Amino acid sequence: MFERLDAIEKKYHELQNDLTNPEIISDYNKLKTLSKEARDLEETVKVYEEYKATHTKMEDAKALLKDEELKDLATLEYEENKEKLEKLTHELEILLVPKDENDGKNVIMEIRGAAGGDEANIFAGDLYRMYTYYAEKNNWKIEEINSLEGTSGGFSQVEIIIKGEDVYKKLKYESGSHRVQRVPVTETQGRVHTSTATVLVMPEIETANIDIKESDIKMDVYHSSGAGGQSVNTANSAVRLTHIPTGIVVTCQTERSQLMNRERAMNLLKIKITDEIRNKEEQELGATRKNKIGTGDRSEKIRTYNYPQNRVTDHRINFSIMSLDKVMDGDLEPIIEALQTEDLRLKLAGEKEII
């Protein structure tokens, strides 16, 4: 561990020197890249420096334990620094856990009604509302890309971009099948039903270097639609792109011009193709896209929202919280923190991670 820390400390100081180089200062892109590298290492270096200073103090106090006049004071100082050293050691172990390079990125989120008909679509709308409120609490910005409303409310499908600080870091655990247990508004006999909606979270990536052949794309245009499928304008501004080799379809109708919708749809298509490639690589390692988002079957679930008991349970970590009402109003933090804590524990133990 300490060899790695010494190497990180050396690299950090080299970067600090590089950032004073006039040639690098004049090169914006290189300056930006090196500044980010230095920021990524800074916390680890500061904690390591504090660790070394604390270790020195502990050793100095240990040397004074043989002095009868200073023994009591030295013992107190030794124990205080020993305790602090143990905390710093654990903190360094956490900092050395490989970080997900996508943690700081924005996300593309898809929410779809799955098993349960109209109630599944209504629940998809409730999840959309929950994530919207959670985004507001984190000062994130949401942009809707495309949506298809359910006939009784909610969405059969809605796609959004969530922008802000550490969005993927917090929302990456949300991919999967979400199950709801409640009496639907469409139920006339007061029976509790079980329905599902699926959520897929993808990091927003740089798409400039991704090349897609125009001959591989089929484009359809149509009128943008509003509530209940009603057309909101008379121009064919909405765009649907189909990537023929993969069968991936994306739609964008939020912009007023066809050109702007096509540009946004193309960026989304590149992100989805990249995600598909990544999932194929994961499949070769034994992890499939089905494992990531599920089929939406009622028996599949990462989380259950039980309305009669006001309970939310995340089945991956056996974590339950008896405040479903608050969760649906965007208070997701206790669940996210529990997932992050368990994910970190698994990484430190070298076990299979949550996602």
Side-chain angles (χ1 to χ4, degrees):
M1 180 174 87
F2 294 105
E3 288 181 359
R4 284 183 65 193
L5 288 167
D6 287 335
I8 289 171
E9 185 178 39
K10 180 181 178 182
K11 177 65 175 177
Y12 176 76
H13 291 304
E14 288 175 352
L15 287 168
Q16 291 297 315
N17 288 332
D18 289 341
L19 290 171
T20 62
N21 186 325
E23 291 184 8
I24 291 176
I25 293 174
S26 62
D27 186 335
Y28 174 76
N29 290 329
K30 194 159 190 178
L31 179 65
K32 182 180 178 181
T33 300
L34 295 183
S35 295
K36 184 181 183 304
E37 283 187 49
R39 285 196 305 272
D40 290 343
L41 299 178
E42 187 173 18
E43 184 180 3
T44 303
V45 171
K46 286 185 176 180
V47 175
Y48 184 41
E49 289 175 346
E50 187 177 1
Y51 172 92
K52 290 191 292 184
T54 302
H55 185 270
T56 298
K57 290 179 183 178
M58 189 183 76
E59 291 299 314
D60 290 344
K62 185 178 180 180
L64 294 173
L65 291 176
K66 298 178 181 179
D67 189 320
E68 289 299 326
E69 293 183 2
L70 299 174
K71 184 177 180 180
D72 290 343
L73 183 62
T75 299
L76 180 62
E77 186 172 347
Y78 175 82
E79 292 299 331
E80 286 178 351
N81 283 291
K82 182 182 178 182
E83 183 180 350
K84 184 177 180 181
L85 203 65
E86 290 173 354
K87 292 180 180 178
L88 289 170
T89 300
H90 182 63
E91 191 173 345
L92 286 170
E93 288 174 345
I94 293 173
L95 287 168
L96 287 177
V97 171
K99 293 180 174 60
D100 189 332
E101 63 180 11
N102 293 318
D103 275 354
K105 294 182 179 178
N106 302 324
V107 306
I108 308 294
M109 177 181 281
E110 296 179 1
I111 307 171
R112 296 172 180 259
D118 287 341
E119 167 65 0
N121 293 339
I122 292 170
F123 179 50
D126 293 338
L127 290 177
Y128 172 80
R129 174 180 173 274
M130 178 184 75
Y131 290 123
T132 299
Y133 284 168
Y134 184 60
E136 290 175 357
K137 291 176 184 290
N138 284 277
N139 296 315
W140 297 338
K141 181 181 178 182
I142 286 185
E143 295 179 12
E144 188 174 308
I145 303 171
N146 179 53
S147 65
L148 183 60
E149 296 185 3
T151 55
S152 298
F155 299 97
S156 63
Q157 175 184 346
V158 59
E159 295 168 288
I160 56 177
I161 299 177
I162 307 178
K163 298 181 178 182
E165 184 177 352
D166 292 335
V167 182
Y168 187 73
K169 182 179 181 180
K170 291 193 172 185
L171 292 181
K172 62 184 176 183
Y173 304 101
E174 296 305 297
S175 288
S177 183
H178 295 241
R179 183 175 72 172
V180 62
Q181 295 174 327
R182 65 184 178 187
V183 178
V185 293
T186 55
E187 167 62 41
T188 59
Q189 299 182 25
R191 294 173 299 184
V192 173
H193 288 219
T194 298
S195 303
T196 62
T198 60
V199 176
L200 176 62
V201 176
M202 298 173 288
E204 186 180 32
I205 58 169
E206 296 293 334
T207 59
N209 297 324
I210 301 173
D211 184 34
I212 299 178
K213 296 179 181 178
E214 285 292 330
S215 58
D216 287 341
I217 297 175
K218 176 187 175 185
M219 185 174 86
D220 299 302
V221 296
Y222 55 96
H223 295 342
S224 298
S225 61
Q230 185 178 8
S231 177
V232 296
N233 64 40
T234 56
N236 289 328
S237 60
V239 171
R240 181 189 299 112
L241 299 181
T242 302
H243 186 242
I244 298 170
T246 62
I248 294 173
V249 179
V250 298
T251 303
C252 186
Q253 60 176 355
T254 54
E255 306 296 338
R256 289 191 172 274
S257 77
Q258 183 184 121
L259 183 63
M260 292 175 68
N261 277 324
R262 189 187 190 283
E263 181 180 351
R264 173 165 277 196
M266 182 61 76
N267 284 332
L268 179 59
L269 182 62
K270 289 178 179 180
I271 290 170
K272 287 195 174 185
I273 290 173
T274 302
D275 187 65
E276 185 73 16
I277 292 171
R278 183 171 61 247
N279 277 292
K280 284 183 179 179
E281 292 173 350
E282 289 174 354
Q283 187 173 8
E284 293 175 1
L285 297 173
T288 65
R289 186 177 181 85
K290 178 182 175 182
N291 288 334
K292 185 174 183 181
I293 66 171
T295 63
D297 186 87
R298 291 176 180 83
S299 63
E300 294 181 344
K301 57 188 180 298
I302 63 164
R303 191 177 297 153
T304 293
Y305 304 73
N306 186 298
Y307 277 71
Q309 298 177 14
N310 197 37
R311 169 176 54 83
V312 181
T313 299
D314 196 289
H315 303 283
R316 294 164 294 181
I317 57 174
N318 295 319
F319 176 84
S320 292
I321 185 169
M322 308 302 291
S323 55
L324 180 145
D325 52 339
K326 293 181 180 179
V327 170
M328 299 310 293
D329 283 338
D331 189 13
L332 266 173
E333 205 61 41
I335 300 174
I336 300 295
E337 287 181 356
L339 285 161
Q340 290 176 325
T341 299
E342 178 62 10
D343 200 32
L344 177 60
R345 187 193 69 78
L346 293 172
K347 287 177 180 176
L348 289 172
E351 299 177 22
K352 184 179 178 181
E353 301 164 26
I354 293 174
I355 61 170

